[in-house]
Amino acid sequence: MICVDPATGERLGTVPVMDRAAVVAAVQRGRAAQPAWAKTSFAERRAVLKDILARVVAEQRSISRLAVRDSGKTMVDAAMGEIFPVCEKLRYTIAHGERDLRAEPRASGLLPHKSARVEYLPLGVIGVISPWNFPFHNFFCPVIPALFAGNAVVIKVSELASLSSLEYLKIFEEVLARRGHPPELVQVVTGYGETGAALVSSGVDKIFFTGSPQNGRKVMATAAETLTPVVLELGGKDAMIICDDAVLEQAVSTALFGVFNACGQMCVGVERLYVFSGIYDAFVAQVTERARALRQGPPLSSGRLASEEVDLGAMTMPRQLEIIQSLVDDAVARGARLLLGGKPRAELGANFYPPTILVDVDHSMRITREEQFGPVMVIMRVDSEAEAIERANDCPYGLGSSVFTKDRRRAERIARAIHAGMTTVNDFGLAYMIQSLPFGGVKISGFGKINGREGLRACCNEKAIVTDRIPVRQGMALYPVRAATLPLVTGAVQAIYGAGLREKARGAVQVLRSLVALRRQNR
């Protein structure tokens, strides 16, 4: 499999296309390595993560360059979208992972003589299928909680971001080996869709998949054959609502970042902007002026930084340019106005799509419902909160969202009404950076959570355990069934759950009579 720099077309090298036998062998190696790791203390697991964090901080520039070379993004995009989230994930897990996975006492209800708790135990081997848009982040962020929870991990990386992943793998291998743990706890498999399908059906204990809804359905169908549980993160079409009392400069700056960061190739990228009529014209004028000044070009040249800094790099997947162009052309044909961009920049190379702004967009256009995953700002005018909320929810996706307003009550009201997994007020994407929060969507954006205690526990068997608080020996046998057995049970239900003292008392009397009868019958 040939690996290519999408910004320059430069051939970077080759990686193997692994068949089913190779994938199954990797899972078996992980299964052999995992039991000893599962017995390690949380202190030891923290020490491993601390060493990994130190490596990431020390090597952040080389890590970013690898991501830039594989994805076409800029170094700034890599620093913000690759390094920062991984470091924060490590920091959170080191600080709070043990607390989140500590055995949790539960009330024992009507059985005060029993002690009840939930244990969060490792699943075994977790499979991860990661996308191409953030090579380092999409590798490390699912592996960190899975490893900390006591599992081995086998990750199928995207065919468009494989070369960097093999370099990133060395960080885990070297840290684990240095601390006396088998490097097979984290393994990478490379190839195309068939390799990913092999991982899903390989006998792993759970699959974490990030990708499109279409491929998510395929993963789920394959996993259903072996009843392998899945967590699916299937992209988004995030709405940003900008109210008429918003701080305009803040809204403009955040919208530019939310749309054009990493060329819009983010699951939480802002793909729909609903701007109140009172500030619509001013907002459009300002974002257009600032977007026109953005610089675009190859971020690296022969592995080194380009001579001129750029704001936008290249698209990673060539096919995505065709998807974007189809959506833009459909919108223009249906009456949208193109203020900026709208055609690939062939003079820069094969994979460059410019900052693009569309206005006068409505919901008859495909671009309001289909994920574009590119640098296109889609702006729509709204006249009220109700209209903004209705349109924001008129979409099959439901991952993230944003609301801009100075009115806290208004912000809370709108945030609660948007049907999405996350809403950020007066900012963009921060719900992901706050690692204590669960991350995940609704509707076709998928299900299950990553991040926070929910994400750590998703890597575990949540096992209920009941033990004796006070040993109590059963005084009578309920089997074989006697004539008084059923009245005993029905009387107990009435005594415990009946409405009012009189009904409860009747139940209690029935229980006492049944107990006396049972004692006689058991003699």
Short mmCIF file of all heavy atoms in Angstrom, two decimals, residues 11 36 101 109 124 159 171 188 217 396 421 447 455 494 517:
data_model
loop_
_atom_site.label_atom_id
_atom_site.label_comp_id
_atom_site.label_asym_id
_atom_site.label_seq_id
_atom_site.Cartn_x
_atom_site.Cartn_y
_atom_site.Cartn_z
N ARG A 11 5.56 10.63 -2.86
CA ARG A 11 5.46 9.26 -2.35
C ARG A 11 6.29 9.15 -1.08
O ARG A 11 7.49 9.45 -1.08
CB ARG A 11 5.92 8.27 -3.40
CG ARG A 11 5.88 6.82 -2.94
CD ARG A 11 6.12 5.87 -4.10
NE ARG A 11 6.29 4.51 -3.61
CZ ARG A 11 6.23 3.43 -4.38
NH1 ARG A 11 5.99 3.56 -5.67
NH2 ARG A 11 6.40 2.22 -3.87
N ALA A 36 -1.59 -10.32 32.30
CA ALA A 36 -0.60 -9.77 33.23
C ALA A 36 -0.79 -8.27 33.40
O ALA A 36 -0.65 -7.73 34.51
CB ALA A 36 0.81 -10.08 32.73
N LEU A 101 -12.58 4.50 37.79
CA LEU A 101 -12.68 3.05 37.68
C LEU A 101 -12.68 2.34 39.03
O LEU A 101 -12.71 1.10 39.07
CB LEU A 101 -11.52 2.51 36.83
CG LEU A 101 -11.49 2.99 35.37
CD1 LEU A 101 -10.33 2.32 34.63
CD2 LEU A 101 -12.80 2.70 34.66
N GLY A 109 -30.84 -1.89 48.87
CA GLY A 109 -32.29 -1.92 48.86
C GLY A 109 -32.88 -2.65 50.04
O GLY A 109 -32.58 -2.36 51.20
N GLY A 124 -10.67 -7.17 27.93
CA GLY A 124 -9.74 -8.10 27.30
C GLY A 124 -8.96 -7.42 26.19
O GLY A 124 -8.00 -6.71 26.44
N GLU A 159 -5.96 3.81 5.83
CA GLU A 159 -4.99 3.64 4.74
C GLU A 159 -4.40 4.96 4.30
O GLU A 159 -3.34 5.00 3.66
CB GLU A 159 -5.65 2.95 3.54
CG GLU A 159 -6.84 3.66 2.95
CD GLU A 159 -8.15 3.26 3.59
OE1 GLU A 159 -8.15 2.79 4.76
OE2 GLU A 159 -9.20 3.41 2.93
N ILE A 171 6.18 4.82 20.33
CA ILE A 171 6.12 5.46 21.65
C ILE A 171 5.55 4.48 22.66
O ILE A 171 6.10 4.29 23.76
CB ILE A 171 5.28 6.75 21.59
CG1 ILE A 171 5.95 7.77 20.67
CG2 ILE A 171 5.07 7.33 22.99
CD1 ILE A 171 5.15 9.05 20.46
N VAL A 188 -0.76 -2.20 15.82
CA VAL A 188 -1.37 -1.54 14.67
C VAL A 188 -1.52 -2.56 13.55
O VAL A 188 -0.59 -3.33 13.28
CB VAL A 188 -0.51 -0.35 14.19
CG1 VAL A 188 -0.94 0.12 12.81
CG2 VAL A 188 -0.61 0.81 15.19
N ARG A 217 -22.68 1.50 9.72
CA ARG A 217 -23.70 0.45 9.58
C ARG A 217 -23.06 -0.89 9.22
O ARG A 217 -23.48 -1.95 9.69
CB ARG A 217 -24.72 0.86 8.51
CG ARG A 217 -25.60 2.04 8.91
CD ARG A 217 -26.65 2.33 7.85
NE ARG A 217 -27.46 3.47 8.22
CZ ARG A 217 -27.27 4.71 7.77
NH1 ARG A 217 -26.29 4.95 6.89
NH2 ARG A 217 -28.04 5.70 8.16
N PRO A 396 -30.22 15.04 10.01
CA PRO A 396 -30.10 13.67 10.52
C PRO A 396 -28.94 13.48 11.51
O PRO A 396 -28.91 12.48 12.21
CB PRO A 396 -29.88 12.84 9.24
CG PRO A 396 -29.36 13.80 8.24
CD PRO A 396 -29.98 15.11 8.56
N GLY A 421 -25.36 15.81 20.95
CA GLY A 421 -24.65 15.26 22.09
C GLY A 421 -23.96 16.31 22.94
O GLY A 421 -23.69 16.07 24.11
N PHE A 447 -23.64 6.32 18.59
CA PHE A 447 -24.03 6.10 19.98
C PHE A 447 -22.85 5.55 20.77
O PHE A 447 -21.86 5.08 20.20
CB PHE A 447 -25.23 5.15 20.08
CG PHE A 447 -25.06 3.86 19.34
CD1 PHE A 447 -24.32 2.81 19.88
CD2 PHE A 447 -25.63 3.68 18.09
CE1 PHE A 447 -24.15 1.63 19.19
CE2 PHE A 447 -25.49 2.50 17.40
CZ PHE A 447 -24.74 1.47 17.95
N GLY A 455 -16.38 7.30 29.12
CA GLY A 455 -15.48 6.71 28.13
C GLY A 455 -14.57 5.65 28.72
O GLY A 455 -14.32 4.61 28.11
N GLN A 494 -47.36 -6.85 49.05
CA GLN A 494 -48.34 -5.88 49.55
C GLN A 494 -47.78 -5.10 50.74
O GLN A 494 -47.98 -3.88 50.85
CB GLN A 494 -49.62 -6.60 49.94
CG GLN A 494 -50.75 -5.67 50.37
CD GLN A 494 -52.05 -6.42 50.63
OE1 GLN A 494 -52.15 -7.61 50.36
NE2 GLN A 494 -53.03 -5.72 51.16
N ALA A 517 -47.56 -20.93 58.94
CA ALA A 517 -48.01 -22.12 58.20
C ALA A 517 -46.83 -22.88 57.61
O ALA A 517 -46.79 -24.12 57.64
CB ALA A 517 -48.98 -21.71 57.10
#
